[in-house]
């Protein structure tokens, strides 16, 4: 039997009870050798998460890092040394990173407003590329990126990893594969959370740099809703504003202009209606998706008690009345995986990235899916700004992007 098919037991591998094993005695806990070299571009919050997750998954190694800010690279290098004894290359500029023949794939983890420009350089390598979400701050830049990807000889994956959270994996399976709910009619998603955290240069406090709150953060939720609806958005209406957060925040004499609450309604071409609620002035994190079909209701929920420092808890409830068996389940991944970032979703995102590199089928977030998440988010921002419902067809045609509707 091949060693590769024995599932890893990371908890035991890391347990002190196993640390005295010699290499010769390691069979179950023998670590696979990483086969690919990654470079992380932008080593801030998420760049470091990708570094840790690459190491935890173990199928690739972090070969090198590049950040325009020395302090970010210094801290990433220090944190890397805590998890790995391998050498880490620190590039002095992007071109040097892109010219290194030892590299197999690049992760673009820089702020939103830089993704398009950095991708234009990285794509010249012809290697697999991972681009963090949102793929760009505007619809036209996202479209240009999709066009680049369509011409690309390799693949590009977008960092929309919420789809791999355990509760959503189960929700998609119930609603779209088992079809337990019958035909889906409505989808409601909500996120209650604390304010945006500090960022390098505070790029997330300004719509110009982030694309606006609904693009920056909520593209994750619009991706989930698009996937669940299995259709294209037709009309978007939203109301939102800046009620509490960063109202007195200024940088270089400029006031923060990002929303901290919003209600968004989306109508899909197949008749599904969806809504999304955002509130960002809460002490804790509570995320919920409710899907209702002809035969039943599904509730997927994740609650994290930051204040009590309890691990997040995810559940899924299926309520079928007389149509079948109802149930409530706690869903989780191994604790070590959940703790590595975004409740384990980033780990499974890396698994898919590696599968793609190895030519295996993988349901990854494509550039086109990344674009549709930005389209809904940008239309919602537009609706907030104008007070009008936004017809996606006119919205795209006005931007000269009518060809997307074909
Ligand atoms: N998928 C997710 O769940 C998730 C979570 C957090 C952040 N993100 C996304 O990841 C990206 C980075 O966010 P963050 O929270 O790590 O931000 P951050 O501010 O913590 O870090 C960004 C880093 O990029 C560096 N940088 C800026 N421009 C650069 C350039 N041109 N080349 C190289 N380095 C550059 C900065 O110096 C900084 O160290 C954003 O697009 C954000 O939306 C995604």
């Amino acid at each position: 039997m091949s060693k590769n098919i024995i599932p890893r037991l990371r908890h035991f591998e890391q347990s002190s009870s196993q640390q005295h094993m010699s290499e010769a005695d390691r069979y179950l806990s023998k670590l696979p050798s990483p086969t690919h070299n990654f470079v992380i571009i932008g080593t801030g919050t998420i760049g470091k998460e990708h570094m840790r997750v690459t190491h935890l998954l173990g199928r690739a190694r972090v070969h090198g890092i590049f950040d325009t800010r020395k302090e970010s690279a210094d801290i990433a290098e220090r944190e890397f040394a805590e998890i790995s004894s391998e050498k880490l290359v620190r590039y002095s500029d992007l071109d040097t990173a892109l010219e290194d023949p030892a590299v197999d794939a690049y992760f673009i983890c820089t702020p939103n407003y830089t993704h398009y420009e950095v991708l234009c350089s990285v794509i010249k390598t012809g290697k697999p590329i991972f681009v963090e979400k949102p793929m760009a701050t505007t619809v036209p830049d996202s479209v240009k990126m999709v066009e680049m990807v369509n011409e690309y000889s390799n693949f590009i994956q977008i960092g929309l990893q919420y789809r791999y959270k355990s509760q959503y994996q189960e929700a998609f399976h119930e609603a779209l594969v088992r079809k337990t709910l019958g035909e889906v009619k409505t989808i409601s998603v909500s996120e209650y959370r604390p304010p945006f955290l500090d960022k390098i240069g505070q790029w997330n406090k300004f719509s110009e740099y982030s694309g606006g709150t609904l693009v920056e953060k909520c593209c994750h939720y619009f991706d989930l809703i698009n996937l669940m609806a299995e259709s294209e958005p037709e009309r978007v209406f939203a109301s939102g504003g800046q009620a509490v957060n960063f109202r007195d925040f200024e940088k270089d004499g400029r006031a923060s202009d990002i929303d901290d609450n919003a209600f968004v309604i989306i109508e899909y071409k197949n008749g599904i209606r969806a809504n999304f609620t955002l509130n960002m002035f809460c002490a804790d994190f509570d995320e919920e998706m409710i899907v209702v079909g002809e035969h039943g209701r599904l509730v997927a929920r994740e609650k994290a008690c930051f204040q009590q420092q309890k691990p997040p808890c995810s559940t899924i409830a299926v309520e079928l009345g007389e149509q079948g068996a109802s149930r409530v389940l706690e869903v989780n991944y191994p604790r070590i995986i959940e703790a590595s970032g975004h409740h384990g979703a980033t780990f499974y995102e890396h698994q898919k990235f590696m599968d793609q590199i190895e030519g295996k089928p993988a349901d990854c977030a494509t550039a086109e899916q990344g674009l549709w998440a930005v389209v809904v988010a940008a239309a919602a921002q537009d609706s907030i700004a104008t007070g009008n419902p936004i017809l996606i067809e006119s919205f795209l045609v006005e931007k000269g992007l009518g060809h997307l509707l074909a």
Side-chain angles (χ1 to χ4, degrees), residues 302-377:
E302 179 184 339
K303 192 160 169 44
C305 298
F306 295 131
Q307 306 301 322
Q308 297 298 320
Q309 298 193 4
K310 287 185 194 156
C313 176
S314 294
T315 51
I316 178 158
V318 178
E319 300 162 1
L320 299 179
E322 294 187 7
Q323 304 282 348
S326 296
R327 59 202 179 277
V328 183
L329 295 172
E330 194 176 313
V331 286
N332 53 46
Y333 293 131
R335 185 73 199 112
I336 288 171
I337 290 177
E338 287 187 348
S340 68
H342 289 86
H343 213 189
T346 308
F347 179 91
Y348 290 95
E349 172 178 65
H350 273 242
Q351 207 174 61
K352 309 288 177 186
F353 190 75
M354 279 308 303
D355 285 350
Q356 283 215 84
I357 288 184
E358 291 171 3
K360 298 176 190 157
D363 58 337
C364 301
T366 63
E368 199 163 330
Q369 289 171 331
L371 163 67
W372 280 106
V374 172
V375 167
V376 176

Side-chain angles (χ1 to χ4, degrees), residues 41-50 66-73 94 108-115 117-118 130 132-134 159-162 198-204 210 215-217 219-220 342 346 349:
I41 303 167
T43 53
T45 310
I46 200 74
K48 288 188 294 167
E49 182 168 316
H50 285 299
F66 169 64
D67 197 294
T68 44
R69 181 173 169 266
K70 182 182 175 304
E71 294 85 343
S72 294
L94 184 58
I108 301 177
C109 304
T110 56
N112 305 356
Y113 67 96
T114 64
H115 290 176
E117 193 190 322
V118 176
F130 179 95
E132 260 307 340
K133 58 63 23 194
L160 289 164
Q161 87 278 38
Y162 279 29
D198 287 335
K199 294 288 164 193
I200 301 301
Q202 297 289 13
W203 58 266
N204 62 350
S210 71
V215 174
E216 148 55 8
K217 176 67 216 285
C219 61
H220 277 304
H342 289 86
T346 308
E349 172 178 65

Side-chain angles (χ1 to χ4, degrees), residues 71-91:
E71 294 85 343
S72 294
D74 286 346
I75 290 167
E77 189 175 23
R78 269 207 307 274
E79 290 186 15
F80 182 78
E82 286 165 17
I83 55 171
S84 170
S85 54
E86 293 207 46
K87 189 174 163 295
L88 184 71
V89 181
R90 261 183 79 162
Y91 302 100

